[in-house]
Amino acid sequence: LKKIMNKILKVIIIAIVIIIYSLFISGLKTKDDSKLICNKPYIQVGTGCCLDKNENKICDKEENKVTAKVVQKVIGKKVIDKGDFKIIYKDSQKYAKLKTLFENSKIFDNIVNSINKKIALPNEVSISFSECGEANAFYQANKITMCYELIEKVTQTFTEAVNSEEELDTAMRDTTSFLLFHEIGHALIDVLDLPTTWKEEDTADQLAAWTITDAGDDGEQIVLNAVTWFYLNAEKEKKVDDLLFWDQHSLNQQRFSDITCLVYGKDQKHSYLIEKGILKEERAKECTSEYLRIDRTFNALLKPYLK
């Protein structure tokens, strides 16, 4: 009888072990097979969800850690104001009228003076309006060059798109101002050693738009007038071969859309941009968060250099 009882007990123990093992395996399968659902603005990371407000597939808490390290590194620098932007209008027989116009109007002198009052530079940076032999503007080794040929090209591009000389003058002035701010952006990135995470050309565009729109309604209109130049250039690009995919600059249509988005993101009173189809509605949904992210970034990065 004792042997029979021992056999029965062994059978019962084996049965219990099998049941427990089966339940354990079943629990694992249920856990593995079930799908975790993370609704926006949350994303799935491992077996949990985390917040991702800007939808860049990176948890905000992780992104904030990286941003904090970069900002701390920059804020740790102490910059003594040792220089200014210095503007020069070089003589040119061909572009003598343009030189005289700029000197007398002081449009760009006022821009440079306003920047010098706000930003501390570690060294002098010259801005030279000059005849270059090409339609271009560029920054190199503490020197910004604004070619008269580029300003001439801007004027020619707008000639057929405006209805009066007054509109043409405004388009030329505003576009040249934006292009100047773009090059100043390159200079600040260089001399202040500002970090960039993507193409420097895009960062310079963002910095120019952010700076000019800070002036309010007038600044926002200047940017919108200026980016029309990118749109008009894009209209001339009829073939794929016309698109400079290899260039450091984004395509003209992309620059137009990106900068227009920032203006709308700063102030939604420009909703007419969506109504007229100038800004795509799908993109407009993200413009506010894009502007706020850029605003936070530049405020943090430039804080140590503000007078």
Side-chain angles (χ1 to χ4, degrees), residues 96-111:
K97 289 184 178 179
L98 206 54
K99 173 181 179 290
T100 301
L101 172 64
F102 293 161
E103 284 182 324
N104 292 341
S105 65
K106 296 189 180 299
I107 298 171
F108 306 117
D109 297 79
N110 293 334
I111 289 175

Side-chain angles (χ1 to χ4, degrees), residues 67-80 192-195 299-306:
T67 302
K69 288 180 181 178
V70 172
V71 171
Q72 187 59 42
K73 181 180 178 182
V74 174
I75 290 177
K77 298 178 181 178
K78 293 183 179 180
V79 175
I80 300 174
L192 302 183
D193 194 25
L194 301 180
N299 273 316
L301 294 178
L302 292 176
K303 184 177 180 179
Y305 311 103
L306 296 179

Side-chain angles (χ1 to χ4, degrees), residues 238-303:
K238 301 298 183 182
K239 301 177 182 178
V240 174
D241 291 343
D242 295 332
L243 303 176
L244 303 181
F245 293 106
W246 49 266
D247 194 63
Q248 292 179 325
H249 299 84
S250 292
L251 300 177
N252 283 309
Q253 186 62 56
Q254 289 177 308
R255 297 179 76 179
F256 171 77
S257 297
D258 289 345
I259 299 168
T260 301
C261 180
L262 292 182
V263 176
Y264 173 74
K266 182 179 185 296
D267 197 329
Q268 284 70 55
K269 71 171 178 286
H270 299 290
S271 57
Y272 65 88
L273 295 169
I274 303 170
E275 295 165 5
K276 293 183 177 181
I278 297 172
L279 179 64
K280 297 298 181 182
E281 188 171 358
E282 294 85 348
R283 179 66 185 280
K285 295 176 182 178
E286 308 298 328
C287 291
T288 299
S289 62
E290 286 185 31
Y291 174 79
L292 291 176
R293 184 167 64 253
I294 288 171
D295 184 53
R296 287 195 304 269
T297 299
F298 287 139
N299 273 316
L301 294 178
L302 292 176
K303 184 177 180 179

Side-chain angles (χ1 to χ4, degrees), residues 34-40 42-50:
S34 61
K35 292 185 177 180
L36 182 66
I37 299 176
C38 300
N39 295 321
K40 287 184 177 182
Y42 291 86
I43 60 173
Q44 181 178 349
V45 176
T47 58
C49 299
C50 70

Side-chain angles (χ1 to χ4, degrees), residues 22 28-29 34 85 89-90 98 108 148 150 161 175 183 195 219-220 223 231 253 281-282:
S22 298
L28 287 180
K29 288 183 177 179
S34 61
F85 286 102
Y89 302 100
K90 291 191 174 180
L98 206 54
F108 306 117
Y148 289 131
L150 177 61
T175 303
E183 297 306 327
E220 291 163 19
V223 173
Y231 178 83
Q253 186 62 56
E281 188 171 358
E282 294 85 348

Side-chain angles (χ1 to χ4, degrees), residues 80-130:
I80 300 174
D81 190 11
K82 295 182 178 180
D84 287 320
F85 286 102
K86 299 284 187 180
I87 195 163
I88 306 166
Y89 302 100
K90 291 191 174 180
D91 290 329
S92 169
Q93 185 174 353
K94 183 177 181 180
Y95 298 103
K97 289 184 178 179
L98 206 54
K99 173 181 179 290
T100 301
L101 172 64
F102 293 161
E103 284 182 324
N104 292 341
S105 65
K106 296 189 180 299
I107 298 171
F108 306 117
D109 297 79
N110 293 334
I111 289 175
V112 170
N113 289 336
S114 67
I115 294 174
N116 287 334
K117 289 178 181 178
K118 295 179 180 179
I119 300 289
L121 296 179
N123 53 264
E124 181 176 306
V125 177
S126 67
I127 301 174
S128 174
F129 282 77
S130 58

Side-chain angles (χ1 to χ4, degrees), residues 98 101-102 105 107-108 111 129 146 150-151 154-155 158 162 165-184 205 208-209 211-213 215-230 255 259 263:
L98 206 54
L101 172 64
F102 293 161
S105 65
I107 298 171
F108 306 117
I111 289 175
F129 282 77
M146 300 291 294
L150 177 61
I151 302 167
V154 168
T155 305
F158 275 103
V162 298
E165 282 294 324
E166 183 178 357
E167 289 183 3
L168 183 60
D169 289 342
T170 299
M172 181 273 287
R173 179 196 65 207
D174 292 350
T175 303
T176 305
S177 296
F178 182 88
L179 295 175
L180 174 58
F181 269 104
H182 174 93
E183 297 306 327
I184 289 173
D205 273 350
T211 305
I212 299 173
T213 56
D217 292 347
D218 291 340
E220 291 163 19
Q221 193 56 54
I222 286 173
V223 173
L224 291 175
N225 289 342
V227 296
T228 303
W229 188 59
F230 297 126
R255 297 179 76 179
I259 299 168
V263 176

